[in-house]
Amino acid sequence: MAKTNPGRFFEDYSVGDVITHAVPRTVSGGERALYHALYPARHALYSSDEFARACGLKASPIDDLAAFHVVFGKTVPDVSLNALANLGYAEGRWLRPVWPGDTLRSTSEVIGLKQNSNGKSGVVWVRTRGENQHGETVMEYVRWVMVRKRDAAVAAPDPVIPDLKPALAAADLVVPEGLDFSGYDFALAGETHRWGDYQPGEVIDHVDGVTVEEAEHMMATRLWQNTAKVHFDATLREDGRRLIYGGHVISMARALSFNGLANAQMIVGLNAGAHANPCYSGDTIRAWTEVLERAETPAPGVGALRLRLVATKGGEPFTLRGEDGKYLPHVLLDLDYWALIPM
Amino acid sequence: MAKTNPGRFFEDYSVGDVITHAVPRTVSGGERALYHALYPARHALYSSDEFARACGLKASPIDDLAAFHVVFGKTVPDVSLNALANLGYAEGRWLRPVWPGDTLRSTSEVIGLKQNSNGKSGVVWVRTRGENQHGETVMEYVRWVMVRKRDAAVAAPDPVIPDLKPALAAADLVVPEGLDFSGYDFALAGETHRWGDYQPGEVIDHVDGVTVEEAEHMMATRLWQNTAKVHFDATLREDGRRLIYGGHVISMARALSFNGLANAQMIVGLNAGAHANPCYSGDTIRAWTEVLERAETPAPGVGALRLRLVATKGGEPFTLRGEDGKYLPHVLLDLDYWALIPM
Amino acid sequence: MAKTNPGRFFEDYSVGDVITHAVPRTVSGGERALYHALYPARHALYSSDEFARACGLKASPIDDLAAFHVVFGKTVPDVSLNALANLGYAEGRWLRPVWPGDTLRSTSEVIGLKQNSNGKSGVVWVRTRGENQHGETVMEYVRWVMVRKRDAAVAAPDPVIPDLKPALAAADLVVPEGLDFSGYDFALAGETHRWGDYQPGEVIDHVDGVTVEEAEHMMATRLWQNTAKVHFDATLREDGRRLIYGGHVISMARALSFNGLANAQMIVGLNAGAHANPCYSGDTIRAWTEVLERAETPAPGVGALRLRLVATKGGEPFTLRGEDGKYLPHVLLDLDYWALIPM
């Protein structure tokens, strides 16, 4: 019997299955420091305990995307080891901050299955939950991936396509307990723009670019214990290139968006996301944002912005799709999320 | 007087000398996070405080190999600065876990000396001990290195060749106080295979590969304050290559062995080790393991496996030596160690 | 309205302005571990809590240069985003150690302005102060930069050139409260040379070299939240090279100086500094030191050395300037600082 994990194939999933993902992880100031070393992350709430306390939190949490990566990384051996493509995200919510010292674990429920017409693969939808050591859910999201079948002869399951929201409504968002932006220090945060300064339809060029290196994306991806081979093993492809984990691009683009969205402090919702084209070492990542929607929240001084964050490797700013409706080749990421910002 | 450290030469050692190595080091969650960023380390006991507590420990310790590297790194300026070759390891034992917040220091006793027949160098054996801030030994090992003589005219010392065990017996191993695998959570650990599932003679291909980069091995090696020039200075060799610290290969191979040995949680014994061939940036490290021996321990639910861990840079799996008895050129490491695993 | 920060231009500064820099930062054991991974830093006081306690401190502080980088990094968006050159440093003092858990913020006062004769740029002098969460100044320094004008037609301000000390006197230095080297452990520190062993005029070749990589300098520079584009974006220059942050060279050279100056534990004064030539990935950094001056301090067993630290990328040791008085092309850094060392 081979003792290594071959990963699951399409026929190994059934709707309703709940998978306990392995290797819980305790995070600390070490993960925070590495996040700052790997990404140009400057949102003050995640940089300073004092700033976070002035906003009603007990300390500076681990970056929301770091929490996402830890939760996501655990699912890779069970969900995407034999994936042909990562197709989408929906209904992602951050429900509680993750603090240094917390231990995270993940579970995924299979909520949809649909075999492809070629009979060789199918789409699997999972709803993943990350929990802390108190059994509280810290975040949840749905993603769907295209997975190979081990044996094309196995009969197709009855298709189940989950009914997913195209985007979370403002009422679906959870504002962390105690969050209060009424005394927010804009000078320390780095920009003066507040909720009311952003108009739906407005686009922001985040200006800066970062050329990415093999050592960095591998360190980042390992930090989240995501061990998908394509990110690490240069012998897998003829051109010797390693595919960069899509989450690395998400974090890089989000960090770059500080320049223009310094006050969009906390990510609370992930509506949708597409990894439009692959990213490789040597690519220079840039980002722009389109403001999609504004909403109020019940928390003092706290508003919400729905934002489309686009990462590119060059190309004309603010271009996304060609005439054929497909993403242009320079587009890396198209992410639709909700962030909290002072009113 | 030159103030820089020229290192010791063969004639500077006497049997019985005890060398206090400099630069004690406090470790924290920062070292743990970096270890996870540098290696695909996923053993749950070193990833989660909660998992470690469920196994009877007070928290998740610093990885056993990180402890080894810290202890080892301190010896480099005194033992291997003028070394021509790192010849072997023996009688390595981990005696106590290292916790975040601990401060480690090292001492080495010279236990053997033998001048080479060419009169220009000799072999030095040292027994190195790493201590924590309470003066407790956390680990110890013997290694021997070939060291240059400063002056070939100096008379050879009487040869002293220490009597070293070819391998530790199970009775030599120290199980950390309190360790209890009777309630071990195999789902969270990532694999179902337990002590009884491994048979002596069995070989396991760990499947994954990691292509290594200059920035990574230098960061790792510096983290352990190992400052041997060959790892950092590209001008030392005509081909501009930096030799990768052998310990980097050990940690990479051990981390890769998670896939097939996820439950071989703690390293408690180092029987032998050879750095068979040099490793350079751009090499893709793979690993396979041969099960050598099984043993019981007095701790509840805790068994021991003696394992041969082989790291390669490609080549045919499970091949080790050529017809001439020498390591094949693709073999990087041949390590013989004891690990603790649930029964 | 563009929401991104265009940086300040020369005409945006007035003498007496006090700029609050954004993004306060909490440091932890994570920053310490990364500092050790990025630089071959081995000064025992910054490596071991136990060693630091034996020297009268409550714990091992964050490296003085790490504190400098954090304080400096915050000033970049306000001071040097449109800088053409970083011209100098003066009157730098470390006033209090920075401990893990501290939160740092920076302010800068404009203390000098002088438009260049070309009318297109000018020199701005700022005195920057880094504060901890108690409002205590942890360090301060003056730097001056050449900054572009937005509009050459704007009238020149009255020139104000601050009166800066060519070097701090020993009496200007602040010895951390409680520091006591009377029981200093030279064996654990790594060298036997004390204050009296260093003679003004003496030069020390630090011997070791480190070849630097893109991933490393970018991780270091991001860790200090210094986001100047030239360090990250390979598309900015025709040759595709990224300019390495001058502070990376300072930290590398200081760490290399351990070999010969292991007991020059704490940096307390920065008299002057010049980034003589640019540094790029692939350069091999070396360092040498000239002893400039010795001074006593009131603290028990604590002396001070004024040192010139020179970083090079090869070239003949101990050479600095050509016949024309200009720095030779292999010189990267010329730094004049005060360090504390046991008597």
Side-chain angles (χ1 to χ4, degrees):
Chain A
M1 182 187 76
K3 288 200 164 64
T4 47
N5 175 22
R8 287 171 182 242
F9 293 85
F10 181 68
E11 59 266 45
D12 298 328
Y13 297 93
S14 302
V15 171
D17 278 357
V18 176
I19 304 166
T20 297
H21 304 298
V23 192
R25 171 67 167 275
T26 304
V27 293
S28 78
E31 278 74 12
R32 180 153 77 177
L34 267 163
Y35 198 83
H36 281 97
L38 290 163
Y39 307 107
R42 287 186 284 159
H43 287 90
L45 196 62
Y46 299 88
S47 178
S48 163
D49 283 342
E50 304 297 313
F51 191 95
R53 281 179 201 127
C55 295
L57 303 182
K58 69 178 183 183
S60 178
I62 297 293
D63 195 282
D64 304 311
L65 290 176
F68 168 73
H69 295 318
V70 170
V71 170
F72 180 100
K74 305 197 175 324
T75 71
V76 169
D78 299 310
V79 175
S80 42
L81 216 58
N82 299 307
L84 299 163
N86 197 17
L87 298 171
Y89 305 98
E91 300 186 4
R93 299 197 302 168
W94 281 259
L95 303 170
R96 267 177 194 80
V98 175
W99 311 106
D102 277 0
T103 299
L104 301 184
R105 43 188 289 189
S106 306
T107 56
S108 293
E109 182 182 352
V110 180
I111 60 166
L113 284 176
K114 182 175 180 303
Q115 183 165 311
N116 288 330
S117 53
N118 65 12
K120 296 181 179 169
S121 58
V123 178
V124 180
W125 284 260
V126 294
R127 186 180 303 272
T128 296
R129 287 192 177 85
E131 270 179 32
N132 64 18
Q133 69 277 19
H134 309 299
E136 299 163 337
T137 302
V138 296
M139 79 158 306
E140 60 179 20
Y141 63 90
V142 172
R143 80 162 163 144
W144 53 107
V145 291
M146 191 186 299
V147 180
R148 261 192 293 270
K149 289 182 75 174
R150 186 190 292 106
D151 176 3
V154 172
D158 289 336
V160 176
I161 299 176
D163 186 27
L164 298 171
K165 299 182 183 181
L168 294 165
D172 296 324
L173 305 177
V174 175
V175 178
E177 203 182 317
L179 191 72
D180 180 347
F181 282 162
S182 52
Y184 189 89
D185 188 329
F186 289 86
L188 278 185
E191 287 181 355
T192 58
H193 324 303
R194 58 186 74 212
W195 185 80
D197 296 325
Y198 293 91
Q199 306 300 329
E202 179 179 357
V203 288
I204 302 159
D205 183 350
H206 298 301
V207 180
D208 303 310
V210 172
T211 309
V212 292
E213 298 290 320
E214 300 284 15
E216 291 170 351
H217 78 81
M218 291 198 295
M219 287 184 69
T221 308
R222 271 192 296 252
L223 186 59
W224 321 124
Q225 296 176 309
N226 174 342
T227 57
K229 299 175 197 200
V230 290
H231 308 316
F232 300 103
D233 185 342
T235 68
L236 289 181
R237 294 163 50 114
E238 289 215 346
D239 63 6
R241 299 203 290 184
R242 279 158 273 183
L243 184 67
I244 292 181
Y245 163 49
H248 191 62
V249 178
I250 295 178
S251 278
M252 193 64 84
R254 159 71 176 163
L256 288 169
S257 79
F258 175 90
N259 203 345
L261 280 166
N263 297 317
Q265 292 283 354
M266 306 193 88
I267 300 185
V268 287
L270 174 61
N271 298 307
H275 299 290
N277 284 288
C279 183
Y280 300 103
S281 173
D283 287 346
T284 299
I285 300 178
R286 297 175 188 286
W288 56 268
T289 291
E290 180 185 357
V291 180
L292 298 177
E293 198 179 337
R294 291 195 311 208
E296 301 188 25
T297 84
V302 180
L305 289 181
R306 187 178 153 207
L307 301 163
R308 158 179 272 170
L309 173 63
V310 178
T312 68
K313 44 180 171 181
E316 218 171 312
F318 312 136
T319 60
L320 195 61
R321 294 178 188 271
E323 293 181 8
D324 57 1
K326 290 187 180 163
Y327 285 112
L328 292 165
H330 67 270
V331 175
L332 297 171
L333 173 76
D334 182 10
L335 194 82
D336 180 338
Y337 74 104
W338 281 102
L340 301 180
I341 184 168
M343 301 287 280
Chain B
M1 181 185 76
K3 289 199 163 66
T4 47
N5 176 20
R8 287 170 182 244
F9 293 86
F10 180 68
E11 59 265 48
D12 299 328
Y13 297 93
S14 302
V15 171
D17 279 358
V18 176
I19 305 168
T20 297
H21 303 298
V23 192
R25 170 68 166 275
T26 305
V27 293
S28 78
E31 278 74 12
R32 178 152 79 177
L34 268 162
Y35 198 83
H36 281 97
L38 291 163
Y39 307 107
R42 286 186 285 160
H43 287 91
L45 197 61
Y46 299 88
S47 177
S48 164
D49 283 343
E50 304 297 312
F51 191 94
R53 281 178 200 128
C55 294
L57 303 182
K58 69 177 183 184
S60 177
I62 298 293
D63 195 282
D64 304 311
L65 289 175
F68 169 73
H69 295 317
V70 170
V71 171
F72 181 100
K74 306 198 175 325
T75 71
V76 169
D78 299 310
V79 175
S80 42
L81 216 58
N82 299 308
L84 298 163
N86 198 18
L87 298 171
Y89 304 97
E91 299 185 6
R93 298 196 304 169
W94 281 259
L95 303 170
R96 267 177 194 80
V98 175
W99 311 107
D102 277 1
T103 299
L104 301 184
R105 43 187 290 186
S106 306
T107 56
S108 293
E109 181 182 354
V110 180
I111 60 167
L113 285 174
K114 183 176 180 300
Q115 183 165 312
N116 288 330
S117 53
N118 64 12
K120 297 181 178 168
S121 59
V123 178
V124 180
W125 283 260
V126 294
R127 186 181 302 272
T128 297
R129 286 192 177 85
E131 270 178 33
N132 64 20
Q133 69 277 18
H134 309 300
E136 299 164 336
T137 302
V138 296
M139 78 158 306
E140 60 180 19
Y141 63 90
V142 173
R143 80 164 163 142
W144 53 107
V145 291
M146 190 186 300
V147 180
R148 261 192 294 270
K149 289 181 76 174
R150 186 189 293 104
D151 176 3
V154 172
D158 290 335
V160 176
I161 298 177
D163 186 26
L164 298 170
K165 300 182 185 181
L168 295 164
D172 296 324
L173 306 177
V174 175
V175 178
E177 202 183 316
L179 191 73
D180 179 347
F181 282 162
S182 53
Y184 190 90
D185 187 329
F186 289 87
L188 278 186
E191 287 181 356
T192 58
H193 324 303
R194 59 185 75 209
W195 185 78
D197 296 326
Y198 293 90
Q199 306 299 329
E202 179 179 357
V203 288
I204 301 159
D205 183 350
H206 298 300
V207 178
D208 303 311
V210 172
T211 308
V212 291
E213 298 289 321
E214 299 284 17
E216 291 170 352
H217 78 81
M218 291 199 295
M219 288 184 69
T221 307
R222 272 192 295 252
L223 187 60
W224 320 124
Q225 296 176 311
N226 174 341
T227 57
K229 298 175 197 201
V230 290
H231 308 317
F232 299 103
D233 186 342
T235 69
L236 290 180
R237 295 164 49 115
E238 289 214 348
D239 62 7
R241 297 203 289 184
R242 279 158 273 183
L243 184 67
I244 293 180
Y245 163 50
H248 191 61
V249 177
I250 295 178
S251 277
M252 193 63 83
R254 160 71 175 163
L256 289 170
S257 79
F258 175 90
N259 203 346
L261 280 165
N263 297 316
Q265 292 283 354
M266 305 192 89
I267 300 185
V268 286
L270 174 61
N271 299 306
H275 300 291
N277 284 288
C279 183
Y280 301 103
S281 172
D283 286 347
T284 300
I285 301 178
R286 297 175 189 287
W288 56 270
T289 291
E290 180 185 356
V291 180
L292 297 176
E293 197 178 337
R294 289 195 312 206
E296 301 189 22
T297 84
V302 179
L305 289 181
R306 187 177 153 207
L307 302 163
R308 159 179 271 170
L309 173 63
V310 177
T312 69
K313 44 181 172 181
E316 219 172 310
F318 312 136
T319 60
L320 194 62
R321 295 178 187 271
E323 292 182 7
D324 57 2
K326 292 188 179 161
Y327 284 112
L328 292 165
H330 67 270
V331 176
L332 297 171
L333 173 77
D334 182 10
L335 195 81
D336 180 338
Y337 73 104
W338 280 102
L340 301 180
I341 185 168
M343 302 286 279
Chain C
M1 180 185 77
K3 288 200 164 63
T4 48
N5 175 21
R8 287 172 181 242
F9 293 85
F10 180 69
E11 59 267 46
D12 299 328
Y13 297 94
S14 302
V15 171
D17 279 357
V18 176
I19 305 167
T20 297
H21 304 299
V23 192
R25 171 67 168 274
T26 304
V27 293
S28 78
E31 277 75 12
R32 180 153 78 178
L34 267 163
Y35 199 82
H36 282 96
L38 290 163
Y39 307 108
R42 288 185 284 159
H43 288 91
L45 197 61
Y46 299 88
S47 178
S48 163
D49 283 342
E50 304 297 312
F51 192 94
R53 281 179 201 128
C55 295
L57 303 182
K58 69 177 184 185
S60 177
I62 298 293
D63 195 281
D64 303 312
L65 290 176
F68 169 73
H69 295 318
V70 170
V71 171
F72 180 100
K74 302 196 177 328
T75 72
V76 169
D78 299 311
V79 175
S80 42
L81 216 58
N82 298 307
L84 298 164
N86 197 18
L87 297 172
Y89 304 97
E91 299 186 4
R93 299 196 304 168
W94 281 258
L95 303 170
R96 267 178 194 81
V98 176
W99 311 107
D102 277 0
T103 299
L104 301 184
R105 42 186 290 186
S106 306
T107 56
S108 294
E109 182 182 352
V110 180
I111 60 166
L113 284 175
K114 181 175 181 303
Q115 183 165 312
N116 288 331
S117 53
N118 66 12
K120 296 181 180 169
S121 58
V123 178
V124 180
W125 282 260
V126 294
R127 187 181 302 273
T128 296
R129 286 192 177 85
E131 270 179 33
N132 64 19
Q133 69 278 18
H134 309 300
E136 300 164 336
T137 302
V138 297
M139 80 159 305
E140 60 180 19
Y141 63 89
V142 173
R143 81 162 161 142
W144 52 107
V145 291
M146 190 186 300
V147 180
R148 261 192 293 271
K149 288 181 76 174
R150 186 190 293 106
D151 176 2
V154 172
D158 290 335
V160 176
I161 298 175
D163 185 28
L164 298 170
K165 299 182 185 182
L168 295 165
D172 296 325
L173 306 176
V174 175
V175 178
E177 203 183 315
L179 191 73
D180 180 347
F181 282 162
S182 54
Y184 190 90
D185 188 329
F186 289 86
L188 278 186
E191 287 180 357
T192 58
H193 323 304
R194 58 186 74 210
W195 184 80
D197 296 326
Y198 292 91
Q199 306 300 330
E202 178 179 358
V203 288
I204 302 159
D205 183 350
H206 299 299
V207 180
D208 303 310
V210 172
T211 308
V212 291
E213 298 289 321
E214 299 284 15
E216 290 170 351
H217 78 81
M218 291 199 294
M219 287 184 69
T221 307
R222 271 192 296 252
L223 186 59
W224 321 124
Q225 296 176 311
N226 174 342
T227 57
K229 299 176 196 201
V230 290
H231 309 316
F232 300 103
D233 185 344
T235 68
L236 290 180
R237 295 164 49 114
E238 288 214 350
D239 63 6
R241 298 203 289 184
R242 279 158 273 183
L243 183 68
I244 292 180
Y245 163 50
H248 192 62
V249 177
I250 295 178
S251 278
M252 193 63 84
R254 159 71 176 164
L256 288 169
S257 79
F258 175 90
N259 203 345
L261 280 165
N263 297 317
Q265 291 283 355
M266 305 193 90
I267 300 185
V268 286
L270 174 61
N271 300 308
H275 299 291
N277 284 288
C279 183
Y280 300 102
S281 173
D283 287 346
T284 299
I285 301 178
R286 299 175 188 286
W288 57 269
T289 290
E290 179 185 356
V291 180
L292 297 178
E293 197 179 337
R294 290 196 310 208
E296 301 188 23
T297 84
V302 179
L305 288 181
R306 187 177 153 208
L307 301 163
R308 159 178 271 171
L309 173 62
V310 178
T312 69
K313 43 181 172 182
E316 218 171 313
F318 312 136
T319 60
L320 195 62
R321 293 178 188 272
E323 294 182 5
D324 57 1
K326 291 188 180 162
Y327 285 112
L328 292 165
H330 67 271
V331 176
L332 296 171
L333 172 76
D334 182 9
L335 194 82
D336 179 339
Y337 73 104
W338 281 102
L340 301 180
I341 185 168
M343 301 286 280

